[in-house]
Amino acid sequence: MTTNMGKDNRLRKDFAMTDYPVQMDVKPDVFGFFDDDTNTISYVVKDPESEHCAIIDSVMDFDYAAGRTSYEGADRIIAFVTKKGWTVDWLIETHVHADHLSAAPYIQERVGGKLGIGRNILVVQDLFGKVFNEGTGFRRDGSQFDRLFDDGDTYKIGEMDCFAILTPGHTPACMTHIIGNATFVGDTLFMPDSGSARADFPGGDAGVLYESIQKVLSLPDHMRLFMCHDYGPDGRNIAWETTVAEQKAHNIHVGGGKTKEQYIKFRTERDATLGMPRLIIPSLQVNMRGGHLPPEDDSGTRFLKVPINVL
């Protein structure tokens, strides 16, 4: 797969981790919701000092063979926050997912919240707008989202301070969100026995991903890290929480002091053996629109496109 945009870091800044407002004494309540079909973990993150929360990386159910959408997983999250009586301040997408469709607009209509993603969504929209031949009707300005985060941008969940850091490499728009002593890494890292995400999608770059991972691993050792996916390698139980210290010591791709050169060689060779994610074609078309389906045609029907010999 091509990586022609992998070195587009025009929105990247050279922050040291000490420049970020890390607050390890703030301990948000974190609730994970596992989606069996896509091995995705969505999160509800609550301010411990108020009744406010955020929802991270929600999932729309999609039967690809039937072309049918549903929202059982999203409804579970909606029912959870509604029963608790919590106010949803944010709906966060850590990146433009290629393996599941976002349910953010559906959730937003029912419980509110602002929808946020990294500003490099503009890079992704430009790239995949061309891949899917979307024409001039598809807006490539990020206006499908309420907030576009730059590196180091802060926001609040209730009274709790949060911030986002740019961690590209898997995709150009990947951002890691740090909320007190909890960090949500998207696909930048997996559990230590699973390693890291692939870097061969358009806009990906293994060297950039290594640097982003090192940025995450420069957080305090006791920082809690929450994964976006887990596949239970070797039959172990599904898990999604680890720490910086555990990743530095035991991550099979980057732990134990592995060099950038070692990582690039491994990641490039491994990615060349991987097939495309099952839902990549519908996921990209929906997620670059902020979770909205493509517009209806004159008959009121929506269609997804399948580019031939492109991905």
Side-chain angles (χ1 to χ4, degrees), residues 33 44 53-55 76-88 107 111:
F33 295 79
V44 174
C53 67
I55 297 169
R76 279 198 301 148
I77 296 175
I78 292 168
F80 178 79
V81 298
T82 301
K83 183 177 180 180
K84 297 286 189 180
W86 296 342
T87 298
V88 177
I107 296 174
V111 295

Side-chain angles (χ1 to χ4, degrees), residues 219-253:
L219 288 162
D221 279 351
H222 297 297
M223 176 68 74
R224 296 184 288 163
L225 300 182
F226 292 90
M227 311 297 108
C228 186
H229 297 287
D230 188 61
Y231 302 93
D234 298 322
R236 72 153 167 75
N237 292 334
I238 297 297
W240 52 74
E241 180 178 350
T242 181
T243 65
V244 168
E246 289 171 349
Q247 291 282 17
K248 287 196 295 188
H250 303 298
N251 186 284
I252 60 173
H253 294 174

Side-chain angles (χ1 to χ4, degrees), residues 161-227:
D161 293 320
C162 318
F163 65 96
I165 63 174
L166 184 61
T167 49
H170 174 58
T171 79
C174 288
M175 296 201 83
T176 292
H177 287 260
I178 302 172
I179 304 171
N181 75 340
T183 292
F184 299 85
V185 300
D187 286 5
T188 301
L189 280 168
F190 295 151
M191 293 297 287
D193 61 354
S194 298
S196 64
R198 63 195 298 166
D200 64 330
F201 293 154
D205 185 290
V208 172
L209 180 55
Y210 179 88
E211 294 171 0
S212 293
I213 291 170
Q214 298 309 309
K215 197 174 182 183
V216 173
L217 297 184
S218 69
L219 288 162
D221 279 351
H222 297 297
M223 176 68 74
R224 296 184 288 163
L225 300 182
F226 292 90
M227 311 297 108

Side-chain angles (χ1 to χ4, degrees), residues 63-195:
D63 182 342
Y64 201 177
R68 188 168 299 279
T69 61
S70 59
Y71 296 94
E72 289 86 354
D75 285 336
R76 279 198 301 148
I77 296 175
I78 292 168
F80 178 79
V81 298
T82 301
K83 183 177 180 180
K84 297 286 189 180
W86 296 342
T87 298
V88 177
D89 291 343
W90 287 96
L91 300 158
I92 299 295
E93 298 291 335
T94 56
H95 62 293
V96 176
H97 308 277
D99 45 23
H100 72 269
L101 287 66
S102 170
Y106 176 84
I107 296 174
Q108 189 176 43
E109 288 178 0
R110 287 152 181 80
V111 295
K114 295 180 180 179
L115 176 57
I117 197 169
R119 188 175 296 279
N120 273 355
I121 182 64
L122 307 181
V123 178
V124 175
Q125 288 178 331
D126 181 64
L127 174 58
F128 287 105
K130 295 172 184 174
V131 167
F132 293 106
N133 193 27
E134 292 294 347
T136 58
F138 171 55
R139 301 190 306 276
R140 295 161 169 81
D141 58 1
S143 58
Q144 300 88 345
F145 301 84
D146 300 308
R147 173 79 179 271
L148 302 182
F149 294 106
D150 290 311
D151 198 13
D153 274 359
T154 61
Y155 59 99
K156 282 185 173 289
I157 300 171
E159 297 304 313
M160 183 169 54
D161 293 320
C162 318
F163 65 96
I165 63 174
L166 184 61
T167 49
H170 174 58
T171 79
C174 288
M175 296 201 83
T176 292
H177 287 260
I178 302 172
I179 304 171
N181 75 340
T183 292
F184 299 85
V185 300
D187 286 5
T188 301
L189 280 168
F190 295 151
M191 293 297 287
D193 61 354
S194 298

Side-chain angles (χ1 to χ4, degrees), residues 39-75:
N39 289 79
T40 302
I41 304 96
S42 305
Y43 295 98
V44 174
V45 187
K46 180 185 172 291
D47 174 16
E49 302 300 326
S50 74
E51 300 302 297
H52 290 250
C53 67
I55 297 169
I56 299 177
D57 289 335
S58 63
V59 177
M60 177 201 304
D61 300 293
F62 185 61
D63 182 342
Y64 201 177
R68 188 168 299 279
T69 61
S70 59
Y71 296 94
E72 289 86 354
D75 285 336

